[in-house]
């Protein structure tokens, strides 16, 4: 079922109003063509076709075991596809060994040499290439400056914080001036605060150096922050590719909607299907769902209506109109600082999740536990997905 309404286009601002990260779609750098990887009978990567453009931060996002590391290892040349082809910068990589590829890979463990100082760790790859000493020293110093580790050059890895070690690994990978950097869960070892700061550093660095990044992560927040585009993987397949906004606002399946952020899913049946609106009968609600755009599906089709928690309003007063609403009782409230999560049991017994920003401190007026409330949402908010 393809939706008729226009999806978020490349270049559209993010939902939070921040500008999009630009992607030059005329400049294809990686082309993965019908690539499958089998280990015995097991299909780890299943017929993946994908383009990554020059200067992108492309995130491969998916749950454990979905095949993202295997795909990354095939780009690096550590695994060969069972079938299909991989092109980097227009060149078929079939017969190109890992060290001959314009690629560097940063491993999850960082794999630093513990007995070597920071500058020796960073210089190692250049020394292997037998570059002149003067050039090595200059490039290492420049790179340590870029990752803000100039003052730490003489330290050993165990004398650094997790974030600093991560930057050494990054410097070691970047000093060789790869055109493509592959990062496997690069920030996995960092705590939340450091991870966030490092994500922004990584973006700045990538923008400054213009290297193309392919990042593997299972952390959807990380993918949303870092990526110019995200490829969501499930059981070896790429199930959706898009900008963070497209993936969040217009998931193409229940799997993607569920995987990225929280979502309320209502099972339903299409009872009216016009070019510019649809109506869905949803037994879990005591009203129909009205959606202000058409979808391509036959009348009577079984669908899911997905509504994000922040797109639902909660009030004590009964909303006007007879559609897109539900009555319920507040069963739980979680105060998260910047926002609160309300779990509301509606009349059918289903629990609906609603989030409210805590932008103002109106403690006395806040809706509280066990209050009867009305939930409502705009007709543009539900995303209709095939069952
Ligand atoms: P995680 O986030 O847990 O690292 P992933 O998405 O990166 O997961 P992969 O490492 O690509 O997953 O593995 C995909 C599947 O292929 C897994 O089920 C894994 O067990 C299997 N697999 C990976 N490498 C091999 C191998 N050398 N031999 C057999 N099976 C393998």
């Amino acid at each position: 079922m393809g939706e008729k309404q226009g999806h978020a286009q490349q270049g559209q601002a993010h939902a939070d109003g921040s500008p999009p990260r630009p992607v030059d779609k005329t400049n294809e750098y990686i082309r993965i063509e019908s690539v499958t990887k089998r280990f015995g009978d097991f299909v780890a990567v299943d017929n993946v076709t994908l383009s990554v453009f020059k200067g992108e931060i492309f995130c491969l996002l998916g749950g454990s075991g979905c095949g993202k590391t295997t795909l990354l290892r095939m780009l690096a040349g550590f695994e060969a596809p069972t079938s299909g082809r991989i092109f980097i910068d227009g060149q078929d990589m079939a017969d190109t060994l890992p060290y001959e590829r314009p690629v560097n890979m940063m491993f999850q463990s960082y794999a630093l040499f513990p007995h070597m100082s920071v500058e020796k760790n960073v210089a190692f790859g250049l020394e292997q290439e037998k570059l002149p000493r003067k050039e090595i020293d200059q490039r290492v110093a420049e790179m340590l400056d870029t990752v803000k580790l100039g003052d730490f050059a003489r330290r050993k890895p165990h004398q650094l914080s997790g974030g600093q070690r991560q930057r050494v690994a990054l410097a070691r990978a970047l000093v060789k001036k790869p055109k493509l950097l592959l990062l496997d869960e690069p920030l996995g070892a960092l705590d939340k605060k450091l991870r966030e700061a490092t994500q922004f550093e990584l973006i700045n660095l990538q923008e400054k150096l213009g290297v193309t990044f392919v990042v593997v992560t299972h952390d959807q927040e990380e993918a949303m922050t870092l990526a110019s585009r995200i490829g969501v993987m499930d059981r070896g397949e790429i199930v959706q590719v898009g900008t963070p906004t497209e993936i969040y606002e217009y998931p193409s399946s229940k799997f993607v909607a569920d995987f990225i952020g929280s979502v309320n899913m209502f099972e339903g049946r299409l009872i009216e299907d016009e070019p510019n609106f649809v109506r869905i009968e949803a037994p879990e609600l005591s009203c129909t769902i009205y959606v202000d755009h058409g979808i391509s599906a036959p009348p009577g089709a079984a669908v899911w209506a997905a509504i994000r928690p922040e797109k639902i309003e909660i009030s004590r007063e009964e909303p006007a109109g007879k559609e897109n609403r539900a009555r319920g009782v507040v069963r739980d409230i979680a105060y998260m600082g910047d926002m609160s999560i309300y779990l509301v049991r509606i009349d059918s017994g289903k629990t609906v999740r609603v989030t409210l920003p805590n932008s103002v401190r109106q403690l006395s007026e806040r809706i509280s536990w066990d209050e009867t409330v009305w939930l409502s949402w705009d007709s543009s908010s539900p995303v209709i997905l095939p069952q």
Side-chain angles (χ1 to χ4, degrees), residues 267-291:
E267 210 165 353
R269 198 171 59 83
L270 201 60
I271 51 169
E272 214 173 332
D273 182 13
E274 296 296 326
N276 56 352
F277 73 89
V278 295
R279 276 203 170 81
I280 288 151
E281 183 182 68
E284 288 163 322
L285 296 168
S286 37
C287 68
T288 49
I289 300 176
Y290 175 85
V291 185

Side-chain angles (χ1 to χ4, degrees), residues 57 59-60 72 106-110 162-163 165-167 169-170 181-190 195 198-199 202 213-219 222 226:
I57 300 186
C59 282
L60 284 168
L72 201 71
M106 191 180 130
F107 295 94
Q108 199 165 357
S109 58
Y110 307 156
R165 276 201 290 272
Q166 189 266 346
R167 278 185 271 152
L170 200 57
L181 184 61
L182 308 175
L183 304 104
D184 191 359
E185 303 276 1
L187 311 178
L190 309 184
R195 197 158 64 223
T198 315
Q199 281 163 1
L202 211 55
F213 281 17
V214 177
V215 183
V216 156
T217 181
H218 64 271
D219 179 339
E222 186 159 299
L226 281 180

Side-chain angles (χ1 to χ4, degrees), residues 39 42 44 62-71 79 185 216 218:
F39 295 106
F42 183 77
S64 185
C66 71
K68 42 196 196 305
T69 300
T70 304
L71 193 53
E79 300 281 359
E185 303 276 1
V216 156
H218 64 271

